[in-house]
Amino acid sequence: MNNYLYPTVAAISLLAFLYKLRVLRTDRSPTQIALLGHFLFLTITFTISIPPVWVEISQAAGIVNLSGLLSQSTVILSAACQQLVLLHLSHERHIAWRKSVPRLVFLALVLTTMMTLFCMASSFGERPDDFAVTNARYYPAYMIVYLTGHTVNQVDVGILGWRYAQVAPSAWLRRGLMLIALTLPLQLVYIGSRLADVIAGLAGTTGHGWEPAAQIGVTVSTVTKTIGWTIPDWGRHISKIWAWIDCRRSYRQLSPLHAKVTSHTPDVVLDPGDVDMRTRLYRLVVEIRDAQWRLRTWMTPTVAEKARKHAEAAGLRDEELAATIEAAQLAAAMQAKDRGIQPVDYPSSPLEAGPQDLASEITFQRKVARAFDTSPTVAAVLTRTLHTRPTTQEPHVMPGLPEGHLPQPFDAAFLDNPYPGYAQLRDESPVHQVALPDGSPIWLVLREEDVRAGSPTHGCP
């Protein structure tokens, strides 16, 4: 398995090193230098760990398992570089260096102890994979020192990464640090497998059975960390691609609603010309809102109340509830306009929610569009209003009109707010003669059934 996993990880680490190397032209801060060191040591570690390279290095030096000492030493150095990166990210430089000193001293002691034990084990001819107490005195101690240093190092990196992820200034840096912190369990799998090797050797057996777990754990952990350390640089390209996809998806989802509402209010539509998709989406959102306001005078508060009760009974809350109510109001308003039944009382605003920015507005309108097409609440409210004509307890009377007088459609008061006047005329004189401003008489026919009855095409399909 190592013949495939470790060359892959070495190549990925080298690519990450070369990718970050370009940053040194503009940024030679300790953070960037330490990150480059991390990728360099990773590349060395996994290159040495490739089985043919492992054997060649040890044979060329004439020292059994020298490759093991080199690879494990670079593992410690790589993790030390990660600690330096995280400390410099989360603290001022002088504080970061002060916090780094005890960590670096500890790792220096670990490396010194490892080298001493390795040399003593080699001088006694101990086999590097033999941890039986009858055959080896120094390799078990060597591995325990290495695993202790590596464990402390990895736990520290995980904790530092998790803490800084909570306050990191950019979204992709937060995501990268979270990935780094979440690799800790995989590292612990590797550490546990290596510790189990020592225990198995002391018990007179081997750890070959769990070796694949160690290899997979360290491979997945390393690749994930490499993604985490580099994603703040290239993650913005993912954001751009996602924004491009989401913009088109939003446009596709809102287009049917836009077509329906603007067919009843065509004057709100402007030709945007040859513009990009984001501008077209912006115009779509604005025109849907403009159409809502134009259709407001065809809405009734009772529809909103019915929609609210039905939606709340269905368990809807917050924006989903508001979107469903707006969708029901729109559907009922268009139905009322098609039937020519305009209410006297209408809401002061057709809106149930007030998103604070364009992104929130688009998200909310997508919910409105979805509710408009698929909500059982909208369908139920629309069915009820279809079979109900608006009724009132009191006859419609135009405000300010003397008792016994009928509204005059060309008076200034009538034109300021014509709907109560039309409602009164429909009730009291649905076929009504009035005078135009020039004095010419005309007939107003205000009920749909009267218009149809008097039409020359009445009865034609």
Side-chain angles (χ1 to χ4, degrees), residues 24 26-34 83-104 164:
L24 286 184
T26 56
D27 183 1
R28 297 189 180 184
S29 64
T31 302
Q32 296 298 338
I33 293 172
Q83 288 175 308
L84 289 174
V85 172
L86 289 167
L87 289 170
H88 280 84
L89 280 175
S90 53
H91 297 89
E92 296 291 336
R93 182 175 294 192
H94 67 284
I95 298 176
W97 281 120
R98 177 165 54 81
K99 290 180 174 290
S100 299
V101 169
R103 291 172 166 86
L104 294 176
Y164 189 58

PDB file of all heavy atoms in Angstrom, residues 24 26-34 83-104 164:
ATOM      1  N   LEU A  24       6.445  34.068  -1.326  1.00  0.00           N
ATOM      2  CA  LEU A  24       7.620  34.705  -0.731  1.00  0.00           C
ATOM      3  C   LEU A  24       8.054  35.954  -1.488  1.00  0.00           C
ATOM      4  O   LEU A  24       8.787  36.785  -0.947  1.00  0.00           O
ATOM      5  CB  LEU A  24       8.782  33.715  -0.668  1.00  0.00           C
ATOM      6  CG  LEU A  24       8.685  32.617   0.406  1.00  0.00           C
ATOM      7  CD1 LEU A  24       9.938  31.781   0.417  1.00  0.00           C
ATOM      8  CD2 LEU A  24       8.446  33.214   1.779  1.00  0.00           C
ATOM      9  N   THR A  26       6.249  38.390  -2.199  1.00  0.00           N
ATOM     10  CA  THR A  26       5.560  39.551  -1.614  1.00  0.00           C
ATOM     11  C   THR A  26       5.386  39.469  -0.113  1.00  0.00           C
ATOM     12  O   THR A  26       5.107  40.474   0.537  1.00  0.00           O
ATOM     13  CB  THR A  26       4.169  39.721  -2.267  1.00  0.00           C
ATOM     14  OG1 THR A  26       3.429  38.502  -2.107  1.00  0.00           O
ATOM     15  CG2 THR A  26       4.309  40.024  -3.750  1.00  0.00           C
ATOM     16  N   ASP A  27       5.547  38.278   0.453  1.00  0.00           N
ATOM     17  CA  ASP A  27       5.291  38.111   1.886  1.00  0.00           C
ATOM     18  C   ASP A  27       6.317  37.143   2.472  1.00  0.00           C
ATOM     19  O   ASP A  27       6.262  35.939   2.233  1.00  0.00           O
ATOM     20  CB  ASP A  27       3.876  37.579   2.107  1.00  0.00           C
ATOM     21  CG  ASP A  27       3.518  37.450   3.584  1.00  0.00           C
ATOM     22  OD1 ASP A  27       4.355  37.794   4.429  1.00  0.00           O
ATOM     23  OD2 ASP A  27       2.389  37.011   3.880  1.00  0.00           O
ATOM     24  N   ARG A  28       7.274  37.689   3.234  1.00  0.00           N
ATOM     25  CA  ARG A  28       8.297  36.857   3.866  1.00  0.00           C
ATOM     26  C   ARG A  28       8.125  36.851   5.384  1.00  0.00           C
ATOM     27  O   ARG A  28       9.088  36.839   6.129  1.00  0.00           O
ATOM     28  CB  ARG A  28       9.690  37.352   3.472  1.00  0.00           C
ATOM     29  CG  ARG A  28       9.947  37.238   1.979  1.00  0.00           C
ATOM     30  CD  ARG A  28      11.375  37.519   1.614  1.00  0.00           C
ATOM     31  NE  ARG A  28      11.578  37.388   0.185  1.00  0.00           N
ATOM     32  CZ  ARG A  28      12.760  37.506  -0.421  1.00  0.00           C
ATOM     33  NH1 ARG A  28      13.841  37.791   0.297  1.00  0.00           N
ATOM     34  NH2 ARG A  28      12.861  37.381  -1.726  1.00  0.00           N
ATOM     35  N   SER A  29       6.895  36.844   5.795  1.00  0.00           N
ATOM     36  CA  SER A  29       6.583  36.824   7.219  1.00  0.00           C
ATOM     37  C   SER A  29       6.901  35.448   7.803  1.00  0.00           C
ATOM     38  O   SER A  29       6.996  34.451   7.072  1.00  0.00           O
ATOM     39  CB  SER A  29       5.108  37.149   7.430  1.00  0.00           C
ATOM     40  OG  SER A  29       4.296  36.139   6.842  1.00  0.00           O
ATOM     41  N   PRO A  30       7.076  35.367   9.142  1.00  0.00           N
ATOM     42  CA  PRO A  30       7.304  34.055   9.771  1.00  0.00           C
ATOM     43  C   PRO A  30       6.200  33.051   9.460  1.00  0.00           C
ATOM     44  O   PRO A  30       6.466  31.848   9.364  1.00  0.00           O
ATOM     45  CB  PRO A  30       7.348  34.400  11.267  1.00  0.00           C
ATOM     46  CG  PRO A  30       7.778  35.828  11.325  1.00  0.00           C
ATOM     47  CD  PRO A  30       7.170  36.471  10.113  1.00  0.00           C
ATOM     48  N   THR A  31       4.970  33.546   9.303  1.00  0.00           N
ATOM     49  CA  THR A  31       3.854  32.644   9.005  1.00  0.00           C
ATOM     50  C   THR A  31       4.077  31.928   7.676  1.00  0.00           C
ATOM     51  O   THR A  31       3.951  30.693   7.588  1.00  0.00           O
ATOM     52  CB  THR A  31       2.532  33.432   8.951  1.00  0.00           C
ATOM     53  OG1 THR A  31       2.335  34.098  10.195  1.00  0.00           O
ATOM     54  CG2 THR A  31       1.364  32.515   8.669  1.00  0.00           C
ATOM     55  N   GLN A  32       4.420  32.685   6.632  1.00  0.00           N
ATOM     56  CA  GLN A  32       4.608  32.079   5.314  1.00  0.00           C
ATOM     57  C   GLN A  32       5.848  31.202   5.268  1.00  0.00           C
ATOM     58  O   GLN A  32       5.846  30.129   4.659  1.00  0.00           O
ATOM     59  CB  GLN A  32       4.701  33.188   4.253  1.00  0.00           C
ATOM     60  CG  GLN A  32       3.430  34.008   4.093  1.00  0.00           C
ATOM     61  CD  GLN A  32       2.253  33.170   3.624  1.00  0.00           C
ATOM     62  OE1 GLN A  32       2.417  32.101   3.036  1.00  0.00           O
ATOM     63  NE2 GLN A  32       1.047  33.657   3.881  1.00  0.00           N
ATOM     64  N   ILE A  33       6.922  31.628   5.921  1.00  0.00           N
ATOM     65  CA  ILE A  33       8.152  30.828   5.927  1.00  0.00           C
ATOM     66  C   ILE A  33       7.920  29.510   6.663  1.00  0.00           C
ATOM     67  O   ILE A  33       8.351  28.440   6.205  1.00  0.00           O
ATOM     68  CB  ILE A  33       9.301  31.631   6.568  1.00  0.00           C
ATOM     69  CG1 ILE A  33       9.655  32.830   5.668  1.00  0.00           C
ATOM     70  CG2 ILE A  33      10.524  30.752   6.778  1.00  0.00           C
ATOM     71  CD1 ILE A  33      10.640  33.786   6.296  1.00  0.00           C
ATOM     72  N   ALA A  34       7.225  29.577   7.794  1.00  0.00           N
ATOM     73  CA  ALA A  34       6.941  28.348   8.545  1.00  0.00           C
ATOM     74  C   ALA A  34       6.035  27.412   7.753  1.00  0.00           C
ATOM     75  O   ALA A  34       6.206  26.186   7.789  1.00  0.00           O
ATOM     76  CB  ALA A  34       6.305  28.699   9.885  1.00  0.00           C
ATOM     77  N   GLN A  83       2.849  24.616  14.283  1.00  0.00           N
ATOM     78  CA  GLN A  83       2.647  25.359  15.524  1.00  0.00           C
ATOM     79  C   GLN A  83       3.052  26.824  15.354  1.00  0.00           C
ATOM     80  O   GLN A  83       2.358  27.738  15.816  1.00  0.00           O
ATOM     81  CB  GLN A  83       3.456  24.722  16.657  1.00  0.00           C
ATOM     82  CG  GLN A  83       2.897  23.382  17.130  1.00  0.00           C
ATOM     83  CD  GLN A  83       3.783  22.748  18.163  1.00  0.00           C
ATOM     84  OE1 GLN A  83       4.988  22.593  17.957  1.00  0.00           O
ATOM     85  NE2 GLN A  83       3.202  22.357  19.289  1.00  0.00           N
ATOM     86  N   LEU A  84       4.183  27.050  14.696  1.00  0.00           N
ATOM     87  CA  LEU A  84       4.642  28.427  14.462  1.00  0.00           C
ATOM     88  C   LEU A  84       3.640  29.203  13.623  1.00  0.00           C
ATOM     89  O   LEU A  84       3.353  30.377  13.887  1.00  0.00           O
ATOM     90  CB  LEU A  84       6.008  28.410  13.774  1.00  0.00           C
ATOM     91  CG  LEU A  84       7.188  27.948  14.630  1.00  0.00           C
ATOM     92  CD1 LEU A  84       8.452  27.847  13.781  1.00  0.00           C
ATOM     93  CD2 LEU A  84       7.409  28.901  15.794  1.00  0.00           C
ATOM     94  N   VAL A  85       3.079  28.560  12.595  1.00  0.00           N
ATOM     95  CA  VAL A  85       2.091  29.223  11.746  1.00  0.00           C
ATOM     96  C   VAL A  85       0.881  29.655  12.575  1.00  0.00           C
ATOM     97  O   VAL A  85       0.443  30.814  12.521  1.00  0.00           O
ATOM     98  CB  VAL A  85       1.643  28.297  10.593  1.00  0.00           C
ATOM     99  CG1 VAL A  85       0.466  28.927   9.833  1.00  0.00           C
ATOM    100  CG2 VAL A  85       2.793  28.037   9.639  1.00  0.00           C
ATOM    101  N   LEU A  86       0.349  28.736  13.356  1.00  0.00           N
ATOM    102  CA  LEU A  86      -0.865  29.027  14.117  1.00  0.00           C
ATOM    103  C   LEU A  86      -0.619  30.075  15.197  1.00  0.00           C
ATOM    104  O   LEU A  86      -1.465  30.939  15.442  1.00  0.00           O
ATOM    105  CB  LEU A  86      -1.397  27.738  14.743  1.00  0.00           C
ATOM    106  CG  LEU A  86      -2.006  26.754  13.731  1.00  0.00           C
ATOM    107  CD1 LEU A  86      -2.206  25.385  14.359  1.00  0.00           C
ATOM    108  CD2 LEU A  86      -3.330  27.284  13.204  1.00  0.00           C
ATOM    109  N   LEU A  87       0.534  30.032  15.835  1.00  0.00           N
ATOM    110  CA  LEU A  87       0.836  31.031  16.854  1.00  0.00           C
ATOM    111  C   LEU A  87       0.992  32.418  16.258  1.00  0.00           C
ATOM    112  O   LEU A  87       0.543  33.417  16.835  1.00  0.00           O
ATOM    113  CB  LEU A  87       2.115  30.633  17.611  1.00  0.00           C
ATOM    114  CG  LEU A  87       1.967  29.424  18.557  1.00  0.00           C
ATOM    115  CD1 LEU A  87       3.328  28.975  19.066  1.00  0.00           C
ATOM    116  CD2 LEU A  87       1.056  29.775  19.727  1.00  0.00           C
ATOM    117  N   HIS A  88       1.601  32.511  15.078  1.00  0.00           N
ATOM    118  CA  HIS A  88       1.764  33.815  14.438  1.00  0.00           C
ATOM    119  C   HIS A  88       0.464  34.312  13.813  1.00  0.00           C
ATOM    120  O   HIS A  88       0.286  35.527  13.652  1.00  0.00           O
ATOM    121  CB  HIS A  88       2.878  33.753  13.380  1.00  0.00           C
ATOM    122  CG  HIS A  88       4.263  33.848  13.966  1.00  0.00           C
ATOM    123  ND1 HIS A  88       4.923  32.747  14.463  1.00  0.00           N
ATOM    124  CD2 HIS A  88       5.078  34.920  14.167  1.00  0.00           C
ATOM    125  CE1 HIS A  88       6.107  33.126  14.918  1.00  0.00           C
ATOM    126  NE2 HIS A  88       6.228  34.437  14.756  1.00  0.00           N
ATOM    127  N   LEU A  89      -0.420  33.399  13.468  1.00  0.00           N
ATOM    128  CA  LEU A  89      -1.727  33.831  12.971  1.00  0.00           C
ATOM    129  C   LEU A  89      -2.580  34.432  14.083  1.00  0.00           C
ATOM    130  O   LEU A  89      -3.341  35.376  13.866  1.00  0.00           O
ATOM    131  CB  LEU A  89      -2.470  32.650  12.340  1.00  0.00           C
ATOM    132  CG  LEU A  89      -2.093  32.249  10.920  1.00  0.00           C
ATOM    133  CD1 LEU A  89      -2.845  30.984  10.521  1.00  0.00           C
ATOM    134  CD2 LEU A  89      -2.389  33.364   9.925  1.00  0.00           C
ATOM    135  N   SER A  90      -2.473  33.853  15.271  1.00  0.00           N
ATOM    136  CA  SER A  90      -3.398  34.224  16.345  1.00  0.00           C
ATOM    137  C   SER A  90      -2.824  35.214  17.352  1.00  0.00           C
ATOM    138  O   SER A  90      -3.543  35.660  18.244  1.00  0.00           O
ATOM    139  CB  SER A  90      -3.865  32.963  17.080  1.00  0.00           C
ATOM    140  OG  SER A  90      -2.757  32.184  17.506  1.00  0.00           O
ATOM    141  N   HIS A  91      -1.535  35.573  17.241  1.00  0.00           N
ATOM    142  CA  HIS A  91      -0.935  36.495  18.197  1.00  0.00           C
ATOM    143  C   HIS A  91      -0.027  37.499  17.489  1.00  0.00           C
ATOM    144  O   HIS A  91       0.414  37.267  16.362  1.00  0.00           O
ATOM    145  CB  HIS A  91      -0.098  35.732  19.241  1.00  0.00           C
ATOM    146  CG  HIS A  91      -0.885  34.787  20.084  1.00  0.00           C
ATOM    147  ND1 HIS A  91      -1.103  33.473  19.714  1.00  0.00           N
ATOM    148  CD2 HIS A  91      -1.527  34.955  21.270  1.00  0.00           C
ATOM    149  CE1 HIS A  91      -1.832  32.866  20.640  1.00  0.00           C
ATOM    150  NE2 HIS A  91      -2.109  33.740  21.593  1.00  0.00           N
ATOM    151  N   GLU A  92       0.248  38.590  18.177  1.00  0.00           N
ATOM    152  CA  GLU A  92       1.274  39.514  17.712  1.00  0.00           C
ATOM    153  C   GLU A  92       2.619  38.800  17.663  1.00  0.00           C
ATOM    154  O   GLU A  92       2.848  37.827  18.390  1.00  0.00           O
ATOM    155  CB  GLU A  92       1.357  40.720  18.641  1.00  0.00           C
ATOM    156  CG  GLU A  92       0.094  41.572  18.681  1.00  0.00           C
ATOM    157  CD  GLU A  92      -0.147  42.315  17.374  1.00  0.00           C
ATOM    158  OE1 GLU A  92       0.838  42.538  16.631  1.00  0.00           O
ATOM    159  OE2 GLU A  92      -1.308  42.644  17.078  1.00  0.00           O
ATOM    160  N   ARG A  93       3.535  39.318  16.816  1.00  0.00           N
ATOM    161  CA  ARG A  93       4.772  38.580  16.579  1.00  0.00           C
ATOM    162  C   ARG A  93       5.553  38.310  17.868  1.00  0.00           C
ATOM    163  O   ARG A  93       6.017  37.181  18.088  1.00  0.00           O
ATOM    164  CB  ARG A  93       5.654  39.346  15.582  1.00  0.00           C
ATOM    165  CG  ARG A  93       6.950  38.614  15.256  1.00  0.00           C
ATOM    166  CD  ARG A  93       7.755  39.300  14.188  1.00  0.00           C
ATOM    167  NE  ARG A  93       7.092  39.282  12.907  1.00  0.00           N
ATOM    168  CZ  ARG A  93       7.694  39.625  11.753  1.00  0.00           C
ATOM    169  NH1 ARG A  93       8.950  40.032  11.763  1.00  0.00           N
ATOM    170  NH2 ARG A  93       7.030  39.593  10.629  1.00  0.00           N
ATOM    171  N   HIS A  94       5.705  39.323  18.728  1.00  0.00           N
ATOM    172  CA  HIS A  94       6.510  39.121  19.931  1.00  0.00           C
ATOM    173  C   HIS A  94       5.848  38.119  20.885  1.00  0.00           C
ATOM    174  O   HIS A  94       6.529  37.331  21.548  1.00  0.00           O
ATOM    175  CB  HIS A  94       6.761  40.458  20.648  1.00  0.00           C
ATOM    176  CG  HIS A  94       5.523  41.079  21.225  1.00  0.00           C
ATOM    177  ND1 HIS A  94       4.583  41.730  20.446  1.00  0.00           N
ATOM    178  CD2 HIS A  94       5.064  41.133  22.516  1.00  0.00           C
ATOM    179  CE1 HIS A  94       3.606  42.177  21.231  1.00  0.00           C
ATOM    180  NE2 HIS A  94       3.866  41.826  22.476  1.00  0.00           N
ATOM    181  N   ILE A  95       4.511  38.112  20.926  1.00  0.00           N
ATOM    182  CA  ILE A  95       3.807  37.136  21.767  1.00  0.00           C
ATOM    183  C   ILE A  95       3.931  35.741  21.159  1.00  0.00           C
ATOM    184  O   ILE A  95       4.116  34.746  21.875  1.00  0.00           O
ATOM    185  CB  ILE A  95       2.334  37.535  21.928  1.00  0.00           C
ATOM    186  CG1 ILE A  95       2.223  38.892  22.626  1.00  0.00           C
ATOM    187  CG2 ILE A  95       1.568  36.479  22.713  1.00  0.00           C
ATOM    188  CD1 ILE A  95       0.810  39.419  22.735  1.00  0.00           C
ATOM    189  N   ALA A  96       3.819  35.666  19.824  1.00  0.00           N
ATOM    190  CA  ALA A  96       3.920  34.367  19.146  1.00  0.00           C
ATOM    191  C   ALA A  96       5.286  33.728  19.395  1.00  0.00           C
ATOM    192  O   ALA A  96       5.377  32.522  19.693  1.00  0.00           O
ATOM    193  CB  ALA A  96       3.691  34.543  17.649  1.00  0.00           C
ATOM    194  N   TRP A  97       6.357  34.527  19.297  1.00  0.00           N
ATOM    195  CA  TRP A  97       7.678  33.962  19.541  1.00  0.00           C
ATOM    196  C   TRP A  97       7.839  33.532  20.994  1.00  0.00           C
ATOM    197  O   TRP A  97       8.453  32.505  21.301  1.00  0.00           O
ATOM    198  CB  TRP A  97       8.773  34.975  19.173  1.00  0.00           C
ATOM    199  CG  TRP A  97       9.028  35.039  17.694  1.00  0.00           C
ATOM    200  CD1 TRP A  97       8.893  36.119  16.881  1.00  0.00           C
ATOM    201  CD2 TRP A  97       9.473  33.965  16.851  1.00  0.00           C
ATOM    202  NE1 TRP A  97       9.207  35.796  15.582  1.00  0.00           N
ATOM    203  CE2 TRP A  97       9.575  34.478  15.531  1.00  0.00           C
ATOM    204  CE3 TRP A  97       9.784  32.631  17.069  1.00  0.00           C
ATOM    205  CZ2 TRP A  97       9.987  33.715  14.450  1.00  0.00           C
ATOM    206  CZ3 TRP A  97      10.191  31.848  15.986  1.00  0.00           C
ATOM    207  CH2 TRP A  97      10.279  32.399  14.704  1.00  0.00           C
ATOM    208  N   ARG A  98       7.300  34.326  21.916  1.00  0.00           N
ATOM    209  CA  ARG A  98       7.390  33.968  23.334  1.00  0.00           C
ATOM    210  C   ARG A  98       6.675  32.645  23.600  1.00  0.00           C
ATOM    211  O   ARG A  98       7.162  31.800  24.372  1.00  0.00           O
ATOM    212  CB  ARG A  98       6.799  35.091  24.178  1.00  0.00           C
ATOM    213  CG  ARG A  98       6.788  34.789  25.679  1.00  0.00           C
ATOM    214  CD  ARG A  98       6.547  36.043  26.500  1.00  0.00           C
ATOM    215  NE  ARG A  98       5.344  36.745  26.089  1.00  0.00           N
ATOM    216  CZ  ARG A  98       4.113  36.421  26.464  1.00  0.00           C
ATOM    217  NH1 ARG A  98       3.928  35.373  27.251  1.00  0.00           N
ATOM    218  NH2 ARG A  98       3.076  37.126  26.070  1.00  0.00           N
ATOM    219  N   LYS A  99       5.511  32.435  22.977  1.00  0.00           N
ATOM    220  CA  LYS A  99       4.780  31.188  23.146  1.00  0.00           C
ATOM    221  C   LYS A  99       5.430  30.028  22.391  1.00  0.00           C
ATOM    222  O   LYS A  99       5.214  28.851  22.727  1.00  0.00           O
ATOM    223  CB  LYS A  99       3.332  31.369  22.678  1.00  0.00           C
ATOM    224  CG  LYS A  99       2.493  32.263  23.602  1.00  0.00           C
ATOM    225  CD  LYS A  99       1.077  32.391  23.079  1.00  0.00           C
ATOM    226  CE  LYS A  99       0.203  33.154  24.063  1.00  0.00           C
ATOM    227  NZ  LYS A  99      -0.062  32.368  25.285  1.00  0.00           N
ATOM    228  N   SER A 100       6.208  30.352  21.360  1.00  0.00           N
ATOM    229  CA  SER A 100       6.857  29.298  20.566  1.00  0.00           C
ATOM    230  C   SER A 100       8.050  28.684  21.282  1.00  0.00           C
ATOM    231  O   SER A 100       8.362  27.497  21.072  1.00  0.00           O
ATOM    232  CB  SER A 100       7.327  29.876  19.222  1.00  0.00           C
ATOM    233  OG  SER A 100       6.251  30.374  18.470  1.00  0.00           O
ATOM    234  N   VAL A 101       8.741  29.489  22.107  1.00  0.00           N
ATOM    235  CA  VAL A 101       9.994  29.019  22.709  1.00  0.00           C
ATOM    236  C   VAL A 101       9.827  27.726  23.496  1.00  0.00           C
ATOM    237  O   VAL A 101      10.568  26.752  23.264  1.00  0.00           O
ATOM    238  CB  VAL A 101      10.614  30.135  23.583  1.00  0.00           C
ATOM    239  CG1 VAL A 101      11.768  29.575  24.426  1.00  0.00           C
ATOM    240  CG2 VAL A 101      11.115  31.263  22.704  1.00  0.00           C
ATOM    241  N   PRO A 102       8.885  27.629  24.436  1.00  0.00           N
ATOM    242  CA  PRO A 102       8.780  26.356  25.181  1.00  0.00           C
ATOM    243  C   PRO A 102       8.427  25.182  24.287  1.00  0.00           C
ATOM    244  O   PRO A 102       8.882  24.048  24.530  1.00  0.00           O
ATOM    245  CB  PRO A 102       7.687  26.632  26.211  1.00  0.00           C
ATOM    246  CG  PRO A 102       6.950  27.830  25.715  1.00  0.00           C
ATOM    247  CD  PRO A 102       7.942  28.630  24.951  1.00  0.00           C
ATOM    248  N   ARG A 103       7.639  25.419  23.269  1.00  0.00           N
ATOM    249  CA  ARG A 103       7.279  24.333  22.349  1.00  0.00           C
ATOM    250  C   ARG A 103       8.505  23.871  21.567  1.00  0.00           C
ATOM    251  O   ARG A 103       8.722  22.653  21.390  1.00  0.00           O
ATOM    252  CB  ARG A 103       6.177  24.795  21.385  1.00  0.00           C
ATOM    253  CG  ARG A 103       4.821  25.028  22.060  1.00  0.00           C
ATOM    254  CD  ARG A 103       3.844  25.657  21.090  1.00  0.00           C
ATOM    255  NE  ARG A 103       2.466  25.612  21.549  1.00  0.00           N
ATOM    256  CZ  ARG A 103       1.914  26.508  22.343  1.00  0.00           C
ATOM    257  NH1 ARG A 103       2.640  27.533  22.791  1.00  0.00           N
ATOM    258  NH2 ARG A 103       0.652  26.384  22.720  1.00  0.00           N
ATOM    259  N   LEU A 104       9.307  24.817  21.084  1.00  0.00           N
ATOM    260  CA  LEU A 104      10.493  24.454  20.313  1.00  0.00           C
ATOM    261  C   LEU A 104      11.532  23.769  21.200  1.00  0.00           C
ATOM    262  O   LEU A 104      12.217  22.821  20.755  1.00  0.00           O
ATOM    263  CB  LEU A 104      11.087  25.708  19.664  1.00  0.00           C
ATOM    264  CG  LEU A 104      10.211  26.379  18.598  1.00  0.00           C
ATOM    265  CD1 LEU A 104      10.863  27.658  18.095  1.00  0.00           C
ATOM    266  CD2 LEU A 104       9.940  25.423  17.430  1.00  0.00           C
ATOM    267  N   TYR A 164      -8.445  29.265  16.798  1.00  0.00           N
ATOM    268  CA  TYR A 164      -8.340  30.402  15.884  1.00  0.00           C
ATOM    269  C   TYR A 164      -9.417  30.364  14.811  1.00  0.00           C
ATOM    270  O   TYR A 164      -9.814  31.400  14.277  1.00  0.00           O
ATOM    271  CB  TYR A 164      -6.953  30.457  15.243  1.00  0.00           C
ATOM    272  CG  TYR A 164      -6.725  31.725  14.464  1.00  0.00           C
ATOM    273  CD1 TYR A 164      -6.835  32.972  15.086  1.00  0.00           C
ATOM    274  CD2 TYR A 164      -6.435  31.693  13.106  1.00  0.00           C
ATOM    275  CE1 TYR A 164      -6.650  34.139  14.383  1.00  0.00           C
ATOM    276  CE2 TYR A 164      -6.245  32.864  12.391  1.00  0.00           C
ATOM    277  CZ  TYR A 164      -6.350  34.082  13.037  1.00  0.00           C
ATOM    278  OH  TYR A 164      -6.174  35.247  12.327  1.00  0.00           O
TER     279      TYR A 164
END
